[in-house]
Amino acid sequence: MFINKILVALDRSELSKQIFEQALALAKVTQASLMLLHVLSTEEEGSPYVPIVYSGYSGLNYYSAVQSQTLEVYQEQWNAFKHQSLEMLKSYYAQADIAGVTTEFSQNSGNPGRCICDVSRSWGADLIIMGRRGNTGLKELFLGSVSNYVLHHAPCSVHIVHLPIVAKKTEDAQQTESVSI
């Protein structure tokens, strides 16, 4: 099997740097081109909190200015999140360009798993490289698993980069600490 096109699914986590580095190294060896993909989703860690707007309850219509302001603040936060994510893609693109690897990038909105599969299909990817946070049990049930979805629905091979055990323990400790505060 020849690898000519590698789709690299990235988010704004620390793991993305490792995912990119592995994809870049493989692209250099195989002379493959890269498609760097970020999917804008409210499910991504660090995305702005989605405000709940009750337009049907007449009592809250009285506070329409507050409602409007809340949506405006959310839109500003979403635009900043979108811009920062695009800057991340541009930074990785520049690194790949310097390394002499043919690269393009795309930032799409939607369900991350479906979007990764759709882009890999339409772009004709031979391989998808993506990360896995390692959610299990109830956390996976409620948050879903993008990597699991892609493994079962991708039109090509999938390489999963795992969060290192030390980093995962540190991340879990930080989450536990923030919950108990």
Side-chain angles (χ1 to χ4, degrees), residues 19-181:
I19 294 165
F20 172 74
E21 288 171 356
Q22 285 189 26
L24 184 61
L26 184 59
K28 283 182 190 177
V29 170
T30 61
Q31 297 181 340
S33 57
L34 296 177
M35 166 62 82
L36 308 177
L37 174 66
H38 177 255
V39 180
L40 287 168
S41 168
T42 56
E43 299 168 22
E44 184 176 349
E45 210 167 289
S47 69
Y49 171 74
V50 180
I52 299 172
V53 179
Y54 300 96
S55 58
Y57 182 62
S58 61
L60 288 178
N61 287 337
Y62 181 75
Y63 299 102
S64 64
V66 172
Q67 192 176 28
S68 176
Q69 187 178 21
T70 301
L71 288 174
E72 193 175 301
V73 168
Y74 171 75
Q75 190 62 50
E76 288 173 10
Q77 291 172 344
W78 183 258
N79 289 339
F81 178 73
K82 186 177 176 179
H83 177 74
Q84 290 165 355
S85 300
L86 193 56
E87 290 303 313
M88 171 199 68
L89 286 173
K90 288 178 182 178
S91 172
Y92 286 138
Y93 172 85
Q95 292 175 50
D97 190 47
I98 289 169
V101 174
T102 303
T103 306
E104 53 190 290
F105 63 88
S106 179
Q107 180 165 263
N108 300 15
S109 296
N111 177 285
R114 286 188 194 108
C115 195
I116 291 167
C117 290
D118 290 347
V119 171
S120 68
R121 192 173 292 107
S122 66
W123 188 62
D126 301 306
L127 176 67
I128 297 170
I129 298 180
M130 63 184 297
R132 178 178 187 275
R133 287 199 183 97
N135 292 336
T136 57
L138 287 176
K139 203 171 187 181
E140 182 177 7
L141 178 66
F142 289 113
L143 297 177
S145 172
V146 175
S147 58
N148 189 39
Y149 181 90
V150 172
L151 277 170
H152 288 92
H153 296 90
C156 60
S157 297
V158 180
H159 173 72
I160 304 292
V161 178
H162 291 272
L163 187 64
I165 293 171
V166 174
K168 177 147 178 46
K169 286 181 181 176
T170 304
E171 184 179 277
D172 288 345
Q174 288 172 347
Q175 286 177 353
T176 304
E177 197 173 282
S178 67
V179 170
S180 62
I181 292 178

